[in-house]
PDB file of all heavy atoms in Angstrom:
ATOM      1  N   GLY G 767      22.010  13.249 -28.846  1.00 97.00           N
ATOM      2  CA  GLY G 767      22.962  12.362 -28.208  1.00 97.00           C
ATOM      3  C   GLY G 767      22.590  11.947 -26.795  1.00 97.00           C
ATOM      4  O   GLY G 767      23.179  11.012 -26.247  1.00 97.00           O
ATOM      5  N   ALA G 768      21.627  12.633 -26.210  1.00 97.00           N
ATOM      6  CA  ALA G 768      21.188  12.302 -24.850  1.00 97.00           C
ATOM      7  C   ALA G 768      20.189  11.145 -24.902  1.00 97.00           C
ATOM      8  O   ALA G 768      19.530  10.923 -25.930  1.00 97.00           O
ATOM      9  CB  ALA G 768      20.551  13.526 -24.194  1.00 97.00           C
ATOM     10  N   PRO G 769      20.036  10.424 -23.784  1.00 97.00           N
ATOM     11  CA  PRO G 769      19.030   9.351 -23.760  1.00 97.00           C
ATOM     12  C   PRO G 769      17.618   9.923 -23.708  1.00 97.00           C
ATOM     13  O   PRO G 769      17.380  11.019 -23.190  1.00 97.00           O
ATOM     14  CB  PRO G 769      19.363   8.584 -22.481  1.00 97.00           C
ATOM     15  CG  PRO G 769      20.070   9.565 -21.619  1.00 97.00           C
ATOM     16  CD  PRO G 769      20.804  10.490 -22.538  1.00 97.00           C
ATOM     17  N   VAL G 770      16.699   9.146 -24.267  1.00 97.00           N
ATOM     18  CA  VAL G 770      15.290   9.558 -24.314  1.00 97.00           C
ATOM     19  C   VAL G 770      14.451   8.504 -23.608  1.00 97.00           C
ATOM     20  O   VAL G 770      14.642   7.302 -23.809  1.00 97.00           O
ATOM     21  CB  VAL G 770      14.795   9.681 -25.773  1.00 97.00           C
ATOM     22  CG1 VAL G 770      13.299   9.980 -25.809  1.00 97.00           C
ATOM     23  CG2 VAL G 770      15.575  10.745 -26.505  1.00 97.00           C
ATOM     24  N   GLU G 771      13.503   8.975 -22.800  1.00 97.00           N
ATOM     25  CA  GLU G 771      12.496   8.075 -22.235  1.00 97.00           C
ATOM     26  C   GLU G 771      11.149   8.773 -22.265  1.00 97.00           C
ATOM     27  O   GLU G 771      10.942   9.786 -21.594  1.00 97.00           O
ATOM     28  CB  GLU G 771      12.831   7.651 -20.799  1.00 97.00           C
ATOM     29  CG  GLU G 771      11.807   6.637 -20.268  1.00 97.00           C
ATOM     30  CD  GLU G 771      12.117   6.160 -18.853  1.00 97.00           C
ATOM     31  OE1 GLU G 771      12.315   7.015 -17.975  1.00 97.00           O
ATOM     32  OE2 GLU G 771      12.159   4.931 -18.648  1.00 97.00           O
ATOM     33  N   LEU G 772      10.249   8.248 -23.056  1.00 97.00           N
ATOM     34  CA  LEU G 772       8.884   8.773 -23.130  1.00 97.00           C
ATOM     35  C   LEU G 772       8.003   7.857 -22.285  1.00 97.00           C
ATOM     36  O   LEU G 772       7.913   6.661 -22.545  1.00 97.00           O
ATOM     37  CB  LEU G 772       8.394   8.807 -24.577  1.00 97.00           C
ATOM     38  CG  LEU G 772       9.186   9.722 -25.495  1.00 97.00           C
ATOM     39  CD1 LEU G 772       8.904   9.407 -26.954  1.00 97.00           C
ATOM     40  CD2 LEU G 772       8.830  11.170 -25.221  1.00 97.00           C
ATOM     41  N   LYS G 773       7.340   8.455 -21.319  1.00 97.00           N
ATOM     42  CA  LYS G 773       6.603   7.649 -20.344  1.00 97.00           C
ATOM     43  C   LYS G 773       5.187   7.334 -20.815  1.00 97.00           C
ATOM     44  O   LYS G 773       4.513   8.161 -21.431  1.00 97.00           O
ATOM     45  CB  LYS G 773       6.559   8.362 -19.000  1.00 97.00           C
ATOM     46  CG  LYS G 773       7.918   8.437 -18.310  1.00 97.00           C
ATOM     47  CD  LYS G 773       7.809   9.006 -16.921  1.00 97.00           C
ATOM     48  CE  LYS G 773       9.084   8.806 -16.117  1.00 97.00           C
ATOM     49  NZ  LYS G 773      10.281   9.262 -16.782  1.00 97.00           N
ATOM     50  N   CYS G 774       4.773   6.113 -20.479  1.00 97.00           N
ATOM     51  CA  CYS G 774       3.411   5.670 -20.766  1.00 97.00           C
ATOM     52  C   CYS G 774       2.968   4.721 -19.662  1.00 97.00           C
ATOM     53  O   CYS G 774       3.646   3.722 -19.394  1.00 97.00           O
ATOM     54  CB  CYS G 774       3.341   4.965 -22.109  1.00 97.00           C
ATOM     55  SG  CYS G 774       1.735   4.202 -22.454  1.00 97.00           S
ATOM     56  N   ASN G 775       1.876   5.048 -19.025  1.00 97.00           N
ATOM     57  CA  ASN G 775       1.267   4.156 -18.047  1.00 97.00           C
ATOM     58  C   ASN G 775      -0.140   3.813 -18.504  1.00 97.00           C
ATOM     59  O   ASN G 775      -0.800   4.623 -19.147  1.00 97.00           O
ATOM     60  CB  ASN G 775       1.239   4.799 -16.666  1.00 97.00           C
ATOM     61  CG  ASN G 775       2.618   4.863 -16.061  1.00 97.00           C
ATOM     62  OD1 ASN G 775       3.342   5.841 -16.231  1.00 97.00           O
ATOM     63  ND2 ASN G 775       2.999   3.817 -15.368  1.00 97.00           N
ATOM     64  N   TYR G 776      -0.583   2.642 -18.164  1.00 96.00           N
ATOM     65  CA  TYR G 776      -1.898   2.226 -18.637  1.00 96.00           C
ATOM     66  C   TYR G 776      -2.718   1.619 -17.506  1.00 96.00           C
ATOM     67  O   TYR G 776      -2.196   1.231 -16.457  1.00 96.00           O
ATOM     68  CB  TYR G 776      -1.766   1.218 -19.786  1.00 96.00           C
ATOM     69  CG  TYR G 776      -1.174  -0.108 -19.374  1.00 96.00           C
ATOM     70  CD1 TYR G 776      -1.993  -1.144 -18.928  1.00 96.00           C
ATOM     71  CD2 TYR G 776       0.201  -0.324 -19.428  1.00 96.00           C
ATOM     72  CE1 TYR G 776      -1.454  -2.365 -18.539  1.00 96.00           C
ATOM     73  CE2 TYR G 776       0.740  -1.529 -19.047  1.00 96.00           C
ATOM     74  CZ  TYR G 776      -0.079  -2.547 -18.602  1.00 96.00           C
ATOM     75  OH  TYR G 776       0.456  -3.742 -18.209  1.00 96.00           O
ATOM     76  N   SER G 777      -3.999   1.543 -17.769  1.00 94.00           N
ATOM     77  CA  SER G 777      -4.933   0.903 -16.857  1.00 94.00           C
ATOM     78  C   SER G 777      -5.809  -0.020 -17.690  1.00 94.00           C
ATOM     79  O   SER G 777      -6.469   0.426 -18.628  1.00 94.00           O
ATOM     80  CB  SER G 777      -5.788   1.963 -16.143  1.00 94.00           C
ATOM     81  OG  SER G 777      -6.798   1.344 -15.382  1.00 94.00           O
ATOM     82  N   TYR G 778      -5.758  -1.296 -17.363  1.00 90.00           N
ATOM     83  CA  TYR G 778      -6.556  -2.280 -18.121  1.00 90.00           C
ATOM     84  C   TYR G 778      -6.677  -3.532 -17.295  1.00 90.00           C
ATOM     85  O   TYR G 778      -5.705  -4.031 -16.751  1.00 90.00           O
ATOM     86  CB  TYR G 778      -5.874  -2.579 -19.459  1.00 90.00           C
ATOM     87  CG  TYR G 778      -6.690  -3.479 -20.363  1.00 90.00           C
ATOM     88  CD1 TYR G 778      -7.882  -3.019 -20.916  1.00 90.00           C
ATOM     89  CD2 TYR G 778      -6.274  -4.773 -20.669  1.00 90.00           C
ATOM     90  CE1 TYR G 778      -8.639  -3.825 -21.749  1.00 90.00           C
ATOM     91  CE2 TYR G 778      -7.030  -5.583 -21.487  1.00 90.00           C
ATOM     92  CZ  TYR G 778      -8.209  -5.117 -22.032  1.00 90.00           C
ATOM     93  OH  TYR G 778      -8.964  -5.913 -22.854  1.00 90.00           O
ATOM     94  N   SER G 779      -7.851  -4.086 -17.229  1.00 86.00           N
ATOM     95  CA  SER G 779      -8.102  -5.214 -16.333  1.00 86.00           C
ATOM     96  C   SER G 779      -7.672  -6.549 -16.913  1.00 86.00           C
ATOM     97  O   SER G 779      -7.432  -7.494 -16.181  1.00 86.00           O
ATOM     98  CB  SER G 779      -9.584  -5.266 -15.961  1.00 86.00           C
ATOM     99  OG  SER G 779     -10.357  -5.344 -17.135  1.00 86.00           O
ATOM    100  N   GLY G 780      -7.570  -6.642 -18.224  1.00 82.00           N
ATOM    101  CA  GLY G 780      -7.229  -7.912 -18.845  1.00 82.00           C
ATOM    102  C   GLY G 780      -5.786  -7.951 -19.293  1.00 82.00           C
ATOM    103  O   GLY G 780      -4.903  -7.319 -18.713  1.00 82.00           O
ATOM    104  N   SER G 781      -5.532  -8.681 -20.375  1.00 83.00           N
ATOM    105  CA  SER G 781      -4.193  -8.809 -20.926  1.00 83.00           C
ATOM    106  C   SER G 781      -4.046  -7.811 -22.070  1.00 83.00           C
ATOM    107  O   SER G 781      -4.665  -7.960 -23.120  1.00 83.00           O
ATOM    108  CB  SER G 781      -3.979 -10.245 -21.431  1.00 83.00           C
ATOM    109  OG  SER G 781      -2.668 -10.401 -21.914  1.00 83.00           O
ATOM    110  N   PRO G 782      -3.232  -6.785 -21.885  1.00 87.00           N
ATOM    111  CA  PRO G 782      -3.199  -5.717 -22.882  1.00 87.00           C
ATOM    112  C   PRO G 782      -2.221  -5.975 -24.023  1.00 87.00           C
ATOM    113  O   PRO G 782      -1.268  -6.740 -23.887  1.00 87.00           O
ATOM    114  CB  PRO G 782      -2.743  -4.511 -22.065  1.00 87.00           C
ATOM    115  CG  PRO G 782      -1.801  -5.106 -21.064  1.00 87.00           C
ATOM    116  CD  PRO G 782      -2.355  -6.470 -20.750  1.00 87.00           C
ATOM    117  N   GLU G 783      -2.498  -5.293 -25.113  1.00 89.00           N
ATOM    118  CA  GLU G 783      -1.516  -5.177 -26.184  1.00 89.00           C
ATOM    119  C   GLU G 783      -1.160  -3.704 -26.276  1.00 89.00           C
ATOM    120  O   GLU G 783      -2.043  -2.848 -26.356  1.00 89.00           O
ATOM    121  CB  GLU G 783      -2.070  -5.687 -27.516  1.00 89.00           C
ATOM    122  CG  GLU G 783      -1.017  -5.692 -28.610  1.00 89.00           C
ATOM    123  CD  GLU G 783      -1.433  -6.469 -29.846  1.00 89.00           C
ATOM    124  OE1 GLU G 783      -2.555  -7.018 -29.868  1.00 89.00           O
ATOM    125  OE2 GLU G 783      -0.630  -6.517 -30.792  1.00 89.00           O
ATOM    126  N   LEU G 784       0.124  -3.391 -26.239  1.00 92.00           N
ATOM    127  CA  LEU G 784       0.564  -2.003 -26.216  1.00 92.00           C
ATOM    128  C   LEU G 784       1.316  -1.642 -27.490  1.00 92.00           C
ATOM    129  O   LEU G 784       2.022  -2.473 -28.065  1.00 92.00           O
ATOM    130  CB  LEU G 784       1.501  -1.762 -25.014  1.00 92.00           C
ATOM    131  CG  LEU G 784       0.902  -1.454 -23.633  1.00 92.00           C
ATOM    132  CD1 LEU G 784       0.123  -0.133 -23.680  1.00 92.00           C
ATOM    133  CD2 LEU G 784       0.038  -2.564 -23.129  1.00 92.00           C
ATOM    134  N   PHE G 785       1.139  -0.378 -27.889  1.00 93.00           N
ATOM    135  CA  PHE G 785       1.744   0.128 -29.119  1.00 93.00           C
ATOM    136  C   PHE G 785       2.345   1.508 -28.861  1.00 93.00           C
ATOM    137  O   PHE G 785       1.892   2.236 -27.981  1.00 93.00           O
ATOM    138  CB  PHE G 785       0.679   0.327 -30.216  1.00 93.00           C
ATOM    139  CG  PHE G 785      -0.208  -0.847 -30.474  1.00 93.00           C
ATOM    140  CD1 PHE G 785      -1.322  -1.091 -29.675  1.00 93.00           C
ATOM    141  CD2 PHE G 785       0.036  -1.687 -31.540  1.00 93.00           C
ATOM    142  CE1 PHE G 785      -2.155  -2.167 -29.921  1.00 93.00           C
ATOM    143  CE2 PHE G 785      -0.802  -2.765 -31.800  1.00 93.00           C
ATOM    144  CZ  PHE G 785      -1.893  -3.006 -30.992  1.00 93.00           C
ATOM    145  N   TRP G 786       3.318   1.854 -29.688  1.00 95.00           N
ATOM    146  CA  TRP G 786       3.743   3.237 -29.816  1.00 95.00           C
ATOM    147  C   TRP G 786       3.561   3.649 -31.279  1.00 95.00           C
ATOM    148  O   TRP G 786       4.014   2.961 -32.196  1.00 95.00           O
ATOM    149  CB  TRP G 786       5.212   3.420 -29.418  1.00 95.00           C
ATOM    150  CG  TRP G 786       5.404   3.578 -27.945  1.00 95.00           C
ATOM    151  CD1 TRP G 786       5.770   2.621 -27.048  1.00 95.00           C
ATOM    152  CD2 TRP G 786       5.232   4.784 -27.188  1.00 95.00           C
ATOM    153  NE1 TRP G 786       5.833   3.152 -25.787  1.00 95.00           N
ATOM    154  CE2 TRP G 786       5.512   4.474 -25.838  1.00 95.00           C
ATOM    155  CE3 TRP G 786       4.884   6.093 -27.517  1.00 95.00           C
ATOM    156  CZ2 TRP G 786       5.450   5.431 -24.821  1.00 95.00           C
ATOM    157  CZ3 TRP G 786       4.821   7.036 -26.516  1.00 95.00           C
ATOM    158  CH2 TRP G 786       5.100   6.700 -25.177  1.00 95.00           C
ATOM    159  N   TYR G 787       2.870   4.786 -31.446  1.00 94.00           N
ATOM    160  CA  TYR G 787       2.715   5.387 -32.765  1.00 94.00           C
ATOM    161  C   TYR G 787       3.508   6.693 -32.790  1.00 94.00           C
ATOM    162  O   TYR G 787       3.657   7.363 -31.764  1.00 94.00           O
ATOM    163  CB  TYR G 787       1.245   5.697 -33.053  1.00 94.00           C
ATOM    164  CG  TYR G 787       0.415   4.504 -33.473  1.00 94.00           C
ATOM    165  CD1 TYR G 787      -0.110   3.621 -32.528  1.00 94.00           C
ATOM    166  CD2 TYR G 787       0.145   4.269 -34.816  1.00 94.00           C
ATOM    167  CE1 TYR G 787      -0.878   2.532 -32.919  1.00 94.00           C
ATOM    168  CE2 TYR G 787      -0.626   3.187 -35.220  1.00 94.00           C
ATOM    169  CZ  TYR G 787      -1.131   2.320 -34.265  1.00 94.00           C
ATOM    170  OH  TYR G 787      -1.891   1.249 -34.655  1.00 94.00           O
TER     171      TYR G 787
END
Side-chain angles (χ1 to χ4, degrees):
Chain G
V770 175
E771 184 179 52
L772 297 164
K773 291 186 167 52
C774 173
N775 288 91
Y776 67 89
S777 173
Y778 186 68
S779 57
S781 183
E783 185 167 0
L784 276 297
F785 309 83
W786 276 98
Y787 281 82

